[in-house]
Amino acid sequence: MIMNLYIMKKKLVFAAILAISLISWIYWSSSVETNDTFIILSRENYLYHNFLIEPRNTTCKGKPFLIIIVTSYVGHVELRSAHRRAMPPELLRSLNIARIFLLARIPENEKLITQAAIKDESEAFDDILQGSFVENYRNLTYKHLMGLQWASTNCYKAKFILKVDDDIVFNLNKSITFMKTINKTENLVMGYVLEYTKPRRNKENKWYVTWDEYSRNYYPPYLSGWYYITTPKVATLICDEATYHPKFWIDDILITGILTESLGFKLQHLPNDYWLEYYELLECCLRDMIDKSIMCNHVVGPNGGRNNLIVEFNEAVGHCESWKNCTQRSSEKPLKKVCIVNSDRTIFSNGQGQVELTKL
Ligand SMILES: *[C@@H]1O[C@H](CO)[C@@H](O)[C@H](O)[C@H]1NC(C)=O
Ligand SMILES: *[C@@H]1O[C@H](CO)[C@@H](O)[C@H](O)[C@H]1NC(C)=O
Ligand SMILES: *[C@@H]1O[C@H](CO)[C@@H](O)[C@H](O)[C@H]1NC(C)=O
Ligand SMILES: *[C@@H]1O[C@H](CO)[C@@H](O)[C@H](O)[C@H]1NC(C)=O
Ligand SMILES: *[C@@H]1O[C@H](CO)[C@@H](O)[C@H](O)[C@H]1NC(C)=O
Ligand SMILES: *[C@@H]1O[C@H](CO)[C@@H](O)[C@H](O)[C@H]1NC(C)=O
């Protein structure tokens, strides 16, 4: 009996120890879980679900061919105006295309613009989607995801989504013509593919990335955010995938690189002659169109800080088309030979990733 009691006591102590360790293990693991950056950050991703201004839900009524989402800094009123003049709403409607501009909240140091003015702009054009987060290049991920999310829910019947930046010039007619040749839209993510880029690890760089933010040596292949083509279906998958990933602030790399890699999508290249990587090339191509009636066959390029370039470019293309007297550029004098460029400004140098030249 005494013996039994002794054993029971021993068992009890053992059970108590077991219980205590179990409880502390649960406590420890749950506290680890709540301080897990993975969970904290994925919740933070939802910052883009509240809007200050939203276009009417009829923006994509019917079955649009295309929805264009344009990331635009809230203060870039003139750039948005240039886009609207280059591709007026009536023209877009006639082509069964919708367009929205993606904005964020006016930052405190921005004195030139008021929310009332943005509200007026939205009332006039009904093409503004303004997130409630503050404008900052470190918040671009929210803006980019907000655009994909909105387009994929409100324009889910659209055949394509075209994502562009507001300072990019593109030929709408050729963009449409090209999209019509796309044979397979399943898992479509198509643009300028950047490969073998490395995170910038020197603190002085604007695009400096800490090891905590990104721990691998290379970025996965990703697309330049200047201009890429995808579909509402893919955009939905990307936005869903984003909730399982830590937020990474370089939007192009997260959205078109990390998330598409994780979804197993293969990025596709646009044709080589599609792009003009330098502003100077675009300027030459445009000048030849105006002065010499030589058609510019390239589709996308940077505006080099000239707000109105997108208007001039599409106007010149329109003239070539309506006058029907433009010639094709002679293959003996390719644009890249006859035009002087300042090689500092390339598609890579606004970037984010450091390019390993040996591998290009
Ligand atoms: C989580 O843990 C890290 C260190 O591991 C600490 O720096 C951070 O402040 C913690 N965050 C929270 C929300 O407790
Ligand atoms: C669009 O908004 C109107 C009014 O706010 C609402 O009645 C309608 O159900 C909405 N339509 C869709 C497709 O969400
Ligand atoms: C991003 O937006 C949030 C929400 O408005 C804001 O608190 C934060 O300061 C912004 N980030 C930066 C780096 O400005
Ligand atoms: C594109 O240009 C061609 C002429 O090259 C013209 O026939 C056609 O109507 C234009 N398409 C659009 C969508 O503007
Ligand atoms: C679609 O297929 C046609 C015929 O095979 C091909 O010429 C065209 O380049 C393809 N389109 C794209 C975007 O690859
Ligand atoms: C094409 O037509 C326009 C308008 O008539 C004219 O200004 C331009 O000089 C013509 N270009 C050529 C190469 O004939």
Side-chain angles (χ1 to χ4, degrees), residues 18 32 35 57 64 71 89 100 105 132 138 148 157 167 172 177 180 184 207 224 228 260 264 322 341 343 345:
L18 205 74
V32 163
N35 187 17
N57 63 8
T71 50
I100 59 167
R105 190 190 288 273
S132 59
R138 286 195 162 251
L148 292 179
K157 284 185 178 158
D167 57 354
L172 179 66
T177 309
K180 288 187 173 155
K184 198 169 149 278
W207 302 101
S224 162
Y228 73 84
T260 58
S322 55
V341 302
S343 57
R345 286 201 294 266

Side-chain angles (χ1 to χ4, degrees), residues 87-157:
M87 302 156 209
E90 315 79 63
L91 171 72
L92 294 185
R93 256 194 303 279
S94 75
L95 296 170
N96 209 13
I97 295 174
R99 173 184 55 207
I100 59 167
F101 294 95
L102 312 173
L103 276 51
R105 190 190 288 273
I106 302 172
E108 262 171 41
N109 60 2
E110 179 62 76
K111 305 287 180 232
L112 297 173
I113 186 102
T114 62
Q115 185 60 21
I118 300 300
K119 193 105 202 174
D120 284 349
E121 189 182 336
S122 163
E123 262 149 37
F125 302 103
D126 192 27
D127 60 3
I128 287 181
L129 179 63
Q130 185 183 28
S132 59
F133 49 90
V134 174
E135 287 283 1
N136 189 285
Y137 72 107
R138 286 195 162 251
N139 272 344
L140 280 174
T141 287
Y142 297 140
K143 193 182 270 188
H144 196 154
L145 284 172
M146 171 179 88
L148 292 179
Q149 177 86 63
W150 197 91
S152 62
T153 42
N154 290 278
C155 309
Y156 61 94
K157 284 185 178 158

Side-chain angles (χ1 to χ4, degrees), residues 24-36:
S24 55
W25 179 77
I26 289 170
Y27 178 76
W28 175 79
S29 59
S30 73
S31 69
V32 163
E33 210 170 306
T34 50
N35 187 17
D36 189 309

Side-chain angles (χ1 to χ4, degrees), residues 71-88:
T71 50
S72 179
Y73 174 69
V74 71
H76 287 171
V77 181
E78 282 181 35
L79 272 174
R80 289 192 293 278
S81 160
H83 276 257
R84 293 190 192 104
R85 276 177 290 122
M87 302 156 209

